[in-house]
Amino acid sequence: MDARLRRGRASLAVSFFVQGAVFALLVTRIPALQDRYGISNALLPVFLAAVPILAGVGSVTTEHVVKRVRPTVVLRCVQPVVCLALLASGSGSRLWECAAGLALFGITVGALDASMNMLGVSLQRAYGRSIMLGFHAAYSLGGIVGASLAWVGAHWHLSLAALYAPSVVVLIPVAVVAGRWFVDEQPQVAEALQEEERTAAALSFRPLLPLCFVMAFAYIGDSTVSNWSAKYLQDILHSSEQLSTVPYNVYMVTTLLGRAVGDLGVRRFGPAPVVRFGSVLAACGFAVVAAATGPWMGMLGFTVLGFGLCVIVPQTFAAAGRLFPQASDTAIARLNVFNYVGFLVGSPLVGGLGDAWSYRGAMLVPMVLVLATLLYARSFGGKTDRYGVGHERARAVDVG
């Protein structure tokens, strides 16, 4: 294997790690953000919904940007900005300052997610075997670190600024240094680019639609954990503030473990059976959460959830790359929008049902939607994860 590809794989994993840490630092401290800015329970879903809407805008914009600028450039530019947006969201004193920080976070995180997964699918095709779960395992590891830091902040009653500032000071240099070794394809000839643009322009949305549904359903489940697990444990299961930060951490630990071995499962059984198994397991996790009688039973449910959901999203991105090998960047950018559709629907859906009816009952909705992914499992391909040789685009591998 080319040493450049190995360095590119490691550096992209670092980027996923940084993003996992930053995202966890935000979502696990939503109750603290709410208290700092005096955001009412009625207004909180609006703030939570605005982030994925803007992230979808960022992802769609990236689809067009990468036709002229390589994904490596996009990733290098936006990742430090995402870190700074995290700091801004926790450092203000007025509601509009929180809104501005979250808006910046949303639009840049959309570009970040799209460009990271573009590079991941490209590298996976270059390797000729499943490695996408490994990148998302690095994201989960970052989430564990971020959630652990959030627990420390809650335990020692640190302000959000005091928690976020040291984290950002460390994470930005790590992201910048890792960016030196990103691997992308550099244009060889104008004809190759023109052919790719024609293919992307002709990309039919219809074959991608089943994967879009799967992505949305998976992220409805994921957003339920990230946005509501802390409040669910604290308000419904009557845990302490410190303990309320733990479910997301447990969830990220289980996604890390599942993704660490998930590529082996995909290589052995193929992507479709792995996705089916994950869907059933995730539904069982939601059922346990809904029936929980105390914080520790709730924690068990989030544990099972992590093992189930962890395989679905990486394999959905990989399936899009296989389905559209000549226009994978366009397919992934469009598919990534449904990441945010899931967040957009999931957050207010669970919150609205919880306020109007029951938070326990609201947990059954993502359970049913995750089970619905079984209907689309055939879209993940046959029994093999093999891709053949070479890249999906007529470009030569280049470092940075």
Side-chain angles (χ1 to χ4, degrees):
M1 183 63 64
D2 194 316
R4 293 174 297 175
L5 291 180
R6 290 195 295 269
R7 287 196 298 269
R9 182 180 180 182
S11 63
L12 185 58
V14 170
S15 185
F16 271 88
F17 171 87
V18 171
Q19 171 58 359
V22 169
F23 189 74
L25 281 166
L26 178 66
V27 298
T28 56
R29 299 304 288 143
I30 284 173
L33 276 170
Q34 187 178 9
D35 292 342
R36 180 182 181 90
Y37 294 101
I39 304 171
S40 67
N41 286 333
L43 189 59
L44 181 61
V46 176
F47 275 76
L48 296 180
V51 173
I53 289 174
L54 291 170
V57 173
S59 184
V60 171
T61 302
T62 303
E63 173 189 342
H64 300 287
V65 171
V66 296
K67 294 174 183 177
R68 295 290 179 265
V69 178
R70 287 180 289 163
T72 50
V73 176
V74 176
L75 183 52
R76 287 192 191 104
C77 291
V78 298
Q79 189 148 51
V81 180
V82 170
C83 295
L84 292 173
L86 172 71
L87 178 59
S89 68
S91 300
S93 57
R94 298 179 179 87
L95 193 60
W96 71 264
E97 292 173 327
C98 177
L102 291 177
L104 180 62
F105 185 91
I107 201 159
T108 52
V109 85
L112 175 63
D113 286 345
S115 57
M116 281 198 311
N117 283 290
M118 287 174 187
L119 292 179
V121 168
S122 180
L123 277 170
Q124 175 165 280
R125 189 166 182 88
Y127 267 73
R129 56 188 172 86
S130 179
I131 61 171
M132 275 295 286
L133 281 160
F135 294 129
H136 287 260
Y139 177 92
S140 298
L141 181 59
I144 293 168
V145 172
S148 299
L149 290 172
W151 181 91
V152 170
H155 180 75
W156 294 103
H157 304 290
L158 299 177
S159 69
L160 290 174
L163 172 64
Y164 289 164
S167 303
V168 167
V169 166
V170 173
L171 291 174
I172 287 180
V174 170
V176 169
V177 171
R180 296 179 57 193
W181 291 284
F182 289 152
V183 172
D184 194 9
E185 292 114 335
Q186 188 174 23
Q188 286 183 311
V189 290
E191 291 80 2
L193 282 177
Q194 292 167 1
E195 176 60 28
E196 181 181 332
E197 289 173 7
R198 286 193 295 269
T199 305
L203 176 61
S204 171
F205 188 73
R206 189 182 182 90
L208 192 64
L209 196 57
L211 296 178
C212 293
F213 283 128
V214 172
M215 182 68 76
F217 294 161
Y219 269 102
I220 287 173
D222 187 83
S223 70
T224 301
V225 180
S226 59
N227 288 325
W228 296 108
S229 61
K231 288 184 70 66
Y232 188 83
L233 228 71
Q234 194 169 342
D235 297 347
I236 306 302
L237 302 181
H238 309 296
S239 74
S240 65
E241 182 184 4
Q242 292 174 225
L243 190 60
S244 72
T245 67
V246 175
Y248 187 78
N249 206 342
V250 170
Y251 174 74
M252 296 309 291
V253 168
T254 54
T255 59
L256 170 63
L257 295 175
R259 287 166 175 173
V261 299
D263 281 320
L264 299 177
V266 174
R267 295 169 200 166
R268 173 67 178 83
F269 301 106
V274 170
V275 169
R276 289 190 183 100
F277 178 76
S279 300
V280 172
L281 200 59
C284 292
F286 274 117
V288 173
V289 170
T293 56
W296 294 105
M297 187 175 176
M299 214 86 73
L300 173 63
F302 288 117
T303 300
V304 176
L305 253 174
F307 279 121
L309 284 178
C310 70
V311 299
I312 299 176
V313 170
Q315 285 308 306
T316 307
F317 280 121
R322 286 192 296 270
L323 190 60
F324 298 100
Q326 298 301 324
S328 63
D329 285 353
T330 299
I332 289 165
R334 294 181 186 180
L335 180 62
N336 191 55
V337 172
F338 286 82
N339 164 349
Y340 309 116
V341 169
F343 266 96
L344 178 63
V345 172
S347 180
L349 177 65
V350 172
L353 286 174
D355 288 337
W357 174 39
S358 162
Y359 275 96
R360 291 183 183 275
M363 292 293 167
L364 300 178
V365 176
M367 180 193 78
V368 172
L369 292 177
V370 168
L371 270 179
T373 63
L374 294 172
L375 301 174
Y376 306 106
R378 68 178 62 184
S379 299
F380 288 81
K383 296 182 179 180
T384 179
D385 72 316
R386 296 292 171 180
Y387 296 81
V389 295
H391 292 275
E392 70 271 43
R393 291 174 287 180
R395 300 180 180 184
V397 174
D398 178 50
V399 180

